[in-house]
Amino acid sequence: MAFADLGKLETLLCSFSDGVATIALDRPDKLNAICRQMHADFRTALDALEADSSVRCLVLTGEGRAFCSGQDLTENLASEADGKPDLGQALDRDYNPLVKRLTALNIPVIASVNGVAAGAGANLALICDIILASESAVFVEAFCRISLIPDAGGTWVLPRLVGRQRALAMMMTGDAIDARTAKDWGMVWAVHPDADLAAQAQGFAAKLAAGPTAAFARMKQAVDAAWDNTLPEQLAVERDLQAECGRLDDFIEGVTAFGEKRPAKFRGR
Ligand code: T3D
């Protein structure tokens, strides 16, 4: 099924225009808390998205006043005979595959954080490639309030975005970090007035969707590889991926457009 045909799932709203797929978490009464059905709906949405080459950018956002309040705390609590749940199982089954799939997408992935992003909801936003936030958005590593460690990739991504000290302070205090501070700290690319965020995010995403998608995929590959590489290793990665870029139709188009003094018309391949 094409992504554009998905429409409303039980807990997600999927829409498509101008090459941009948008997935909006849709449990506004629970501040878009993530439940098992939402994980199932994510699997459906990502199956369609990964198979649909017309999708050239993904926007993740929330319906209502929140982005996402993290794991639905009314689930998972009494799943074992002794009343103590195996949270590792929930991560293996649901969160880890979701984070791996989102971070492996070969298109730009934008988080449009329209309100509170707490717990796994904060980390779901932070593992996206580029994060836009509304002025009223806040990021809360709420896990410490219930004696958990951050999951959904939080311990990996947060220190990389803001450094070890700020990451640990956020994790240990559970303090809400407002959008302006998040931008100052490098967690967020841009902050927009609440009323403008959705339109700004769609415009930004549409611009990326009209970009050199195949080169973007290789940019992500190169940047991700860099975390573990020495400089000489990374130079070799750049050589190999640039060699591939040089054979893309969009490279020819980019150079031709430059010579003809007109905007390039990239087709993403
Ligand atoms: O179980 C596992 O698998 C472990 C995995 C854990 C991963 C995690 O994500 S742990 C972190 C889980 N999230 C939280 O601890 C955050 C919980 N929520 C809050 O602290 C607050 O709701 C917020 C700071 C996000 C927002 O506060 P506020 O005052 O704006 O809203 P509220 O009144 O607290 O919430 C509105 C409604 O949403 C309320 O329902 P009601 O009373 O109107 O019927 C509230 O219960 C519900 N809600 C908010 N967050 C969750 C939730 N319901 C279930 N799960 C939630 N996470």
Side-chain angles (χ1 to χ4, degrees), residues 50 67 81 102 128-129 141 146 157 168 195 206 209 223 231 237 239:
E50 286 166 355
F67 176 75
L102 284 173
C128 291
D129 297 322
E141 292 291 330
I146 52 171
V157 74
L168 280 175
V223 168
L231 177 59
V237 168
R239 174 204 59 214

Side-chain angles (χ1 to χ4, degrees), residues 2 4 40 84 90 96 176 196:
K84 294 186 176 173
N96 292 357
D196 296 349

Side-chain angles (χ1 to χ4, degrees), residues 10-11 27 30 32-41 43 69-80 83-87 90-91 93-95 120 146 148:
E10 203 171 321
T11 65
R27 300 183 75 211
K30 299 270 180 196
N32 300 320
I34 303 168
C35 57
R36 286 186 75 165
Q37 182 60 45
M38 191 179 281
H39 282 290
D41 290 344
R43 286 189 279 275
S69 59
Q71 168 64 34
D72 187 321
L73 292 175
T74 63
E75 279 191 339
N76 291 341
L77 281 179
S79 48
E80 296 288 301
K84 294 186 176 173
D86 181 350
L87 298 184
L91 294 182
R93 184 190 58 230
D94 291 328
Y95 282 98
I146 52 171
L148 294 182

